[in-house]
Amino acid sequence: MSRPFRVLLVDDNPADLMLAQEVFAEHGERLTVSTCASGEEALRALRGGPLPDVVILDVNMPVMSGFEVLQAIKDDPALLSIPVVMLSTSSQPGDVARAYTLHASSYMVKSNSFQKFVDQVDAFVSFWRESRTPSWPDRSGA
């Protein structure tokens, strides 16, 4: 692939956003990460700019939960095909089931260990970059 892999990371916790950006930065020019601190901001970004290859969405956010954002994405024909990975500290079976019922592509339980979180991000990047084929849609709108 000639262009970087684009990720939209949505999390209301500034410390978690900074940590994730730091870990994703390790992958250099192979990917770009945009961030949003709320569900509303994420939907505005998705509807107003180049689309990401994948969205990483925090489950527990105030005002608009990750589940509500996921539902809005899947209800919008222009956004429907974007893979959404739910990211949470919750491994509650009900949360996992709800994410898949709303058509999340996957559900990642965030590790408490920094090194394990780095390993999770590395595995995430490897999986999604390798899954992208030459016909992977360029959702940039260009």
Side-chain angles (χ1 to χ4, degrees):
M1 283 293 126
S2 58
R3 69 170 174 80
F5 188 73
R6 293 186 295 257
V7 174
L8 175 63
L9 175 61
V10 185
D11 195 320
D12 65 306
N13 184 319
D16 286 349
L17 275 179
M18 191 180 324
L19 174 66
Q21 282 179 300
E22 197 176 300
V23 174
F24 276 107
E26 299 285 322
H27 292 275
E29 295 178 7
R30 296 184 302 159
L31 72 99
T32 60
V33 177
S34 302
T35 61
C36 293
S38 71
E40 299 90 341
E41 182 184 348
L43 291 173
R44 281 192 304 274
L46 287 166
R47 292 176 176 143
L51 296 176
D53 294 304
V54 66
V55 173
I56 301 175
L57 184 56
D58 183 25
V59 170
N60 297 307
M61 295 187 293
V63 183
M64 187 174 205
S65 75
F67 295 123
E68 291 169 317
V69 177
L70 175 60
Q71 183 69 61
I73 290 170
K74 297 306 175 182
D75 285 346
D76 187 326
L79 306 177
L80 171 66
S81 66
I82 300 171
V84 178
V85 175
M86 304 304 285
L87 180 65
S88 180
T89 55
S90 169
S91 61
Q92 293 295 315
D95 287 344
V96 177
R98 184 172 181 198
Y100 286 120
T101 298
L102 294 171
H103 304 289
S105 298
S106 64
Y107 190 101
M108 259 189 346
V109 178
K110 195 183 320 180
S111 177
N112 291 331
S113 153
F114 177 74
Q115 186 54 54
K116 286 183 181 176
F117 181 66
V118 169
D119 294 344
Q120 283 180 304
V121 169
D122 290 346
F124 168 87
V125 170
S126 293
F127 173 81
W128 286 101
R129 281 189 48 82
E130 289 172 20
S131 297
R132 187 168 68 164
T133 64
S135 62
W136 189 272
D138 182 358
R139 298 181 174 97
S140 65

